[in-house]
Amino acid sequence: MLVLLPPSEGKSDGGRGRPLDLGALSFAEGLTGARETVLDELVGLCSGDEEKARGVLGLSEGLRGEIAKNAALRTAPARPVGEIYTGVLYDALSLGTLSPAAKRRAARSLLVFSALWGAVGVRDRIPSYRCSGGVKLPGTGALGAHWRRPLEGVLPDAAGGGLVLDLRSSGYAGMWKPKDEVARRTATVRVLQSTVVDGVEKRSVVSHFNKAIKGRIVRALLEAGAAPRTPAALAEALRGLGYRVEESGGGGLDVIVTEL
């Protein structure tokens, strides 16, 4: 099973450690060139005119300090991806508290998509940075489009013959879209809250807590050692873990909750 995750805007500080080694990241053979392109322009942009960099990156005045952080990306301390990303999904997933076996499964199966790195594994070491999926760099252009061809060159093989569980947000889903046989083995999850009003069930799409529930789902699958190969098998696995799940067609699963 390959699980595709979005990054988070929130990131922990780099702390102490060795600086970035692009050659040591996952998919180095296929993605290093594309990573160098984005990294070079981002560092150059943030080493120059602060106001221009702030405008390109869409940063508020309160986030001005992120520009200096980006300027130092090549020398800043790097830490495992699983320690860098914070936020609702990653808090719920709580990679650091997984059992040893679940941590090994996470290292094999989790990929985090990023406008700067393309796609990285949770043990890859990166520095803390600021660059969202909607950024359009003056030279490289829209980063979502920049990554499509390089990722298409490496991710179909990474998907293997098992299930692809795509939990990315829309801004990152466009970086790589599974095709053909891989698409038929790809599942997506929508979280719906069920409430009963005057004896009638009503469902609404969960927004903010959607991320927390998806983080809990991934954690439960990792701890259980689940290895479904199709969306239907994933639905059964989640039911076995206590979730209420309905298949909505096309690999889509609705996870229905009453409490957030």
Side-chain angles (χ1 to χ4, degrees), residues 219-234:
R219 181 182 178 88
L221 290 168
L222 292 172
E223 289 288 6
R229 298 180 66 85
T230 65
L234 174 62

Side-chain angles (χ1 to χ4, degrees), residues 34-35 41 49 52 58 78 85 101 103 122 125 148 164 184 186-187 215 218 223 241 252 260:
R35 288 168 175 156
E41 185 170 6
D49 185 332
K52 179 180 178 181
Y85 290 111
K103 286 180 180 178
V122 293
R125 299 177 63 86
R148 285 174 195 153
V164 176
R184 290 188 284 274
T186 297
V218 174
E223 289 288 6
L241 292 169
L260 300 177

